[in-house]
Amino acid sequence: MRFNKVIFWCEFPNEVDWEIFNKIFKIKSDIYIASKTKKEFLKWKSKIKNEYVKNIGAWPVLTKEEGYWFSSYSSKKSIDRLFEFKGIKMKIDLEPPLLVNYGWLKMVYAYSKLLLFKKAKNHNYINKKILELSKNTEIILSGFPFPKWFSSIYGDRQMNPKNTKRNFFIYRTLIPKILRPILKIYFKYFIKKSINKFGNKNLFFAVGCIGHGILGNEPTYKNINEFEKDLDFLLNNNIKNLVIFDLAGIMNRKNPEDWFEIIKKYII
C-alpha cells in the first residue's frame, strides 16, 4: 500500500535553504507556505524552482498577538484577512488561538479556562466567510482530531463544503508516551469516522513533528524509524493522502535526503 498524494506544510520558510532544496527534492507533491500576507507568500513561492512541486499553496497565519491560527475567537478583521489570498490554493488552520508565554502545564490550564468559560463571538462569521471563500478558492481546512462537539467550541464545525478538503493532524511526538496506546485506539476510530464523512479523496492526515512548531520547543521525532511507524499507521488505516509537518524540519535534519528517500517509498 502507498499514498496517492503527499503535501508538505512549511511553517518556517525562512529556515529553509531553498537553493539546496531545489537541488535535492524529487517528490511529486504540493507545498503550503505559512505567510501573513499575499506579498510574503509570493516572495517565498518565487524561491521554489523545482519541477516536482506541482502546486504551491498559501497557509495564512496571523500575528501571535492576534492568536496566530484562525478560530471563532479571532476578530472579524482578522478573519477577513483570508480574502487577501482569494483564488490561491490555501490551507486554513482552525485551532484555538495561540496563547503566548506559557509552559506546557500552564497552557493546558489556560486553554481549558478559555474554551470552557470564555464564549467565542464569531462562530457564524468565520464559517460564513469560509463558505463564501470556498466558492472560488480551493481550501484545505486543517484541525485537531477532536470530536465535533468539542472542536465546534472554537469554530471548527468540521464542515464539508464543495471545493474544500479536510486535514487532521496526528502529531504523535506531542503525545506523552503513557497516553499513546489509548489515543491510538481513538485515532483508529476517528479515522474510520472521517473516511465515512469526507471520503478518502478529500481527506488528509498529517504526521509530525519532524521540526519545531510555532512554540519552538515542540518534541520531534528522534529518528526516521519513528516517522515510518506513523506512515505505516495511516496506511494500515486506509488513509490515501499524506501531509508532512514540516518541510523546514526535514531540511534542518542532518541528512534531509534520507527523509525524502523514505517518503518516496510510500508514494505511488
Side-chain angles (χ1 to χ4, degrees), residues 91-134:
K91 167 209 176 181
I92 301 174
D93 262 326
L94 293 172
E95 301 183 38
L98 177 68
L99 301 177
V100 296
N101 300 323
Y102 283 104
W104 283 103
L105 289 176
K106 286 185 178 180
M107 190 174 289
V108 170
Y109 170 75
Y111 274 122
S112 300
K113 188 176 177 182
L114 173 76
L115 297 175
L116 295 176
F117 300 107
K118 185 175 180 180
K119 187 177 180 181
K121 297 179 180 179
N122 291 317
H123 280 303
N124 293 330
Y125 191 81
I126 190 168
N127 284 275
K128 176 185 174 184
K129 290 301 176 180
I130 288 172
L131 286 169
E132 186 180 329
L133 193 58
S134 70

Side-chain angles (χ1 to χ4, degrees), residues 38-70:
K38 182 179 178 180
K39 182 179 179 181
E40 184 181 340
F41 165 71
L42 293 174
K43 179 186 80 170
W44 294 119
K45 181 181 178 182
S46 70
K47 293 183 180 292
I48 301 177
K49 302 179 185 342
N50 187 294
E51 63 180 321
Y52 291 91
V53 180
K54 299 306 176 184
N55 295 291
I56 303 170
W59 171 1
V61 293
L62 302 167
T63 64
K64 288 183 179 180
E65 292 70 25
E66 292 173 295
Y68 194 69
W69 302 294
F70 290 85

Side-chain angles (χ1 to χ4, degrees), residues 172 220-229 253 259:
R172 188 171 63 90
T220 60
Y221 291 119
K222 291 181 175 64
N223 52 57
I224 290 181
N225 291 336
E226 288 186 348
F227 172 60
E228 278 198 274
K229 285 181 181 178
R253 289 278 176 162
W259 291 77

